[in-house]
Amino acid sequence: MTPRRRILLIVLALLAPVAAACGGGAAREPGKLVVSVFGYASDRVERAVVEPFERMTGVDVVVETGANADRLSKLRVNRNAPTVDVVLMSDFYAAMGEKEGLFDKVDEARLPHLAEAHPFARNPGGYGPAYTYALLGMTYRTDRFTAPPGLERLGEPAYRGQVAVPDLAITAGVPFLTTLARAYGSGPADADAAFRALARLKPDVLTFYNRSTELASLLDRGEVVMAPSLDIFAVDLVARGRPVAWAPLDAGRVIVTNRAELVRGSAHRADAERFIDYLLSRETQERAAASFNDKPVNRAAKLPPVLARVTGEAAADPIRAGFRPLDLDLVMRNLTTWSRRFAREIAG
């Protein structure tokens, strides 16, 4: 992939507003709540989350799917006549949508289950809350390490060509960059230190992965023995009994979240907020965790054993375990510059 193509993937798809003149979306089905979700496991989302909501409330729900960037672009195109009511989206993309005026603030009085959630789930700007989260750490082969490896082991000669590192375009990429900045520099904003660390690692890296399935396959086959990643990437491998584990890093413990956002101009605001509150309920959170590994933000929800096994004590209370939310303001101010540097200095 050329540097120019990588910049387009990382930056333009994320940041460039799409003019409304480019065309509108398909007309929505009248009278139905439209919920936009990730493409991954969308069939399980419908069975475990959407269908019980329909039975409980009598509200008809239409599910749309797609990648973060594509769905954000669609919201931009249709901002004057939105075709979606609720969007489930990664925190960084959600923050961009908030900044661009694509989402409305929620009425927290209509979200009683928010009181049951971890404090980090509450949106500081008053917009949609986080309904699940993932943690940055190290996924590794337990048949190659007797103890969890830290950042310093990524560059050891014994593991040259057996290390994977997240591309900046994947969800783990930016948190890993800020973690390197914290570990080897003056703090998460020290991009120079982070890029120097990446440049030192580059000769030892087998791949800068840009899909979670790619990483899982490399770990499963033993071609990669360690990789900075989100904890959720290890869950399916651990559930299958593969010699894989995940552990938090000593420096830069970062939480990334998915948010449930209320689309500005929704024709079904009351039902949309009802759905968002439903997502935060203990029962819904437990079904989502059991069906597709979404870690609950509701403090009363019980974790499936495999999630507790992978994430450890951080699954019960990530803040107490030293994790902190990603600084989204820092990222939005710097992503274009970071993306160009990554394409030029690391991927090129």
Side-chain angles (χ1 to χ4, degrees):
M1 183 182 295
T2 66
R4 180 179 295 275
R5 175 63 175 163
R6 186 175 298 275
I7 292 172
L8 288 172
L9 288 174
I10 298 175
V11 183
L12 298 182
L14 304 184
L15 299 178
V18 181
C22 291
R28 64 179 298 149
E29 295 186 53
K32 295 190 175 184
L33 184 73
V34 181
V35 179
S36 175
V37 307
F38 298 90
Y40 171 76
S42 60
D43 56 335
R44 286 178 277 172
V45 172
E46 290 202 50
R47 288 195 300 271
V49 175
V50 173
E51 291 173 7
F53 176 79
E54 291 179 313
R55 290 193 296 269
M56 182 180 75
T57 64
V59 174
D60 289 330
V61 178
V62 175
V63 174
E64 293 189 356
T65 66
N68 280 306
D70 295 336
R71 294 185 293 131
L72 185 62
S73 293
K74 184 176 179 179
L75 289 169
R76 289 164 173 157
V77 169
N78 297 314
R79 66 184 306 148
N80 294 324
T83 60
V84 174
D85 301 295
V86 178
V87 177
L88 310 187
M89 185 169 278
S90 297
D91 52 9
F92 173 63
Y93 291 86
M96 284 194 287
E98 293 166 8
K99 186 176 181 180
E100 294 175 26
L102 299 175
F103 302 130
D104 264 340
K105 296 184 179 183
V106 295
D107 181 355
E108 292 190 356
R110 296 189 177 189
L111 307 182
H113 288 112
L114 186 57
E116 302 168 11
H118 288 291
F120 69 81
R122 192 180 298 271
N123 191 314
Y127 293 93
Y131 64 92
T132 188
Y133 67 95
L135 305 175
L136 182 71
M138 188 75 77
T139 303
Y140 63 98
R141 295 272 307 195
T142 56
D143 54 357
R144 296 293 300 275
F145 296 95
T146 58
L151 290 174
E152 72 284 352
R153 304 209 68 180
L154 290 171
E156 289 186 3
Y159 304 112
R160 173 165 286 197
Q162 301 174 70
V163 171
V165 170
D167 189 289
L168 203 65
I170 198 170
T171 306
V174 169
F176 181 60
L177 187 76
T178 62
T179 292
L180 291 176
R182 184 185 298 274
Y184 298 109
S186 58
D190 193 347
D192 289 339
F195 279 103
R196 286 195 296 269
L198 281 173
R200 291 194 299 270
L201 284 175
K202 184 177 178 179
D204 302 316
V205 172
L206 174 65
T207 184
F208 289 93
Y209 66 91
N210 54 28
R211 297 188 313 277
S212 59
T213 51
E214 174 190 10
L215 176 61
S217 179
L218 290 169
L219 285 162
D220 192 16
R221 297 196 305 267
E223 295 179 41
V224 162
V225 300
M226 59 178 157
S229 80
L230 301 180
D231 57 341
I232 194 171
F233 293 176
V235 173
D236 286 340
L237 291 171
V238 172
R240 288 167 41 209
R242 304 301 295 153
V244 170
W246 176 92
L249 298 167
D250 290 335
R253 297 188 175 194
V254 179
I255 304 172
V256 295
T257 65
N258 292 341
R259 293 178 178 176
E261 294 281 8
L262 172 65
V263 176
R264 176 164 291 181
S266 165
H268 304 94
R269 181 181 179 112
D271 286 338
E273 290 184 315
R274 190 176 185 182
F275 183 83
I276 293 171
D277 183 61
Y278 160 84
L279 282 179
L280 301 174
S281 70
R282 177 183 60 80
E283 296 83 0
T284 305
Q285 297 254 296
E286 289 179 347
R287 286 198 303 273
S291 180
F292 45 89
N293 302 328
D294 266 10
K295 281 192 298 303
V297 298
N298 188 307
R299 290 169 291 180
K302 295 180 181 178
L303 280 175
V306 68
L307 289 182
R309 179 181 172 191
V310 169
T311 308
E313 66 173 10
D317 189 342
I319 299 297
R320 188 173 60 194
F323 286 86
R324 296 293 181 269
L326 184 65
D327 185 341
L328 298 175
D329 290 335
L330 171 69
V331 176
M332 285 192 290
R333 289 196 307 270
N334 292 282
L335 183 66
T336 300
T337 299
W338 291 350
S339 300
R340 288 173 175 161
R341 289 193 65 176
F342 190 88
R344 182 177 65 251
E345 300 174 26
I346 307 302

